[in-house]
Amino acid sequence: MPVPEIGAPAPDFTLPGVLLGDGGTAERSQYSLSAQRGTPVVLAFYPGDGSSVCTKQLCSYDSDLDRFRDLGATVWGINFSDLDSHESFARKRDLRFPLLADTDRSVVKAYGIQMPGLGLKRSVFIVDANGVVRWKHVARIGLTYQDSETITKELAALARR
């Protein structure tokens, strides 16, 4: 599948995810993109729980989570790891946004970011309140990531439309 174009409907999906709650509880539930209508969603696809670049990326998003929330946005991290791996990673780094498990790689395929034999391309998509892709960054090499500043600027521009 090709990467969705700006202005195209975002491929819908439902995935299991884990979210750390207050007191360190881990809540496991299903997350559906279509259920987020009315709220922009930042989909952060990252190659692996605990790798150095992924840890920097997700920790930076977590540190700026209030900035995302102030713009009305929700952040979801997505990769192939299972919920146990996600929970362990979230606990170790105290991540406070959902990590979703695309263990069958269906969502990565739907977003056109699978790299056969290597996993996935580090990617970020901003999906608006109507379920439309409004911004994206798909890395050719997964050694860098889009920082919170860039993403929140795009969210702020979206809010002004």
Side-chain angles (χ1 to χ4, degrees):
M1 307 260 344
V3 175
E5 294 298 324
I6 303 296
D12 192 25
F13 62 85
T14 300
L15 289 174
V18 63
L19 174 64
L20 290 185
D22 294 332
T25 61
E27 299 172 21
R28 295 182 179 203
S29 59
Q30 296 290 315
Y31 291 83
S32 296
L33 186 59
S34 59
Q36 294 299 304
R37 293 294 191 272
T39 304
V41 180
V42 175
L43 303 176
F45 292 91
Y46 65 103
D49 290 342
S51 68
S52 62
V53 177
C54 295
T55 297
K56 288 178 191 173
Q57 178 185 12
L58 272 61
C59 286
S60 73
Y61 296 169
D62 188 76
S63 294
D64 288 330
L65 207 49
D66 286 339
R67 291 178 67 195
F68 290 107
R69 290 179 178 151
D70 288 347
L71 292 164
T74 299
V75 178
W76 290 351
I78 304 171
N79 75 11
F80 306 139
S81 300
D82 63 23
L83 291 180
D84 289 339
S85 176
H86 283 337
E87 183 176 339
S88 176
F89 180 47
R91 285 185 186 287
K92 184 174 183 178
R93 298 298 177 178
D94 197 32
L95 300 175
R96 298 297 172 165
F97 57 89
L99 300 180
L100 282 54
D102 184 21
T103 56
D104 69 358
R105 302 174 184 234
S106 61
V107 177
V108 167
K109 289 176 187 171
Y111 279 78
I113 57 172
Q114 183 171 4
M115 293 178 58
L118 297 173
L120 62 88
K121 295 177 184 177
R122 185 181 310 277
S123 307
V124 177
F125 294 85
I126 294 177
V127 179
D128 74 9
N130 296 312
V132 174
V133 175
R134 292 297 175 194
W135 182 84
K136 65 181 176 182
H137 179 267
V138 178
R140 291 182 189 196
I141 300 174
L143 300 177
T144 61
Y145 58 88
Q146 292 300 296
D147 60 20
S148 298
E149 184 71 24
T150 301
I151 298 168
T152 55
K153 281 182 184 177
E154 293 296 330
L155 285 166
L158 179 62
R160 290 190 297 268
R161 290 184 193 166

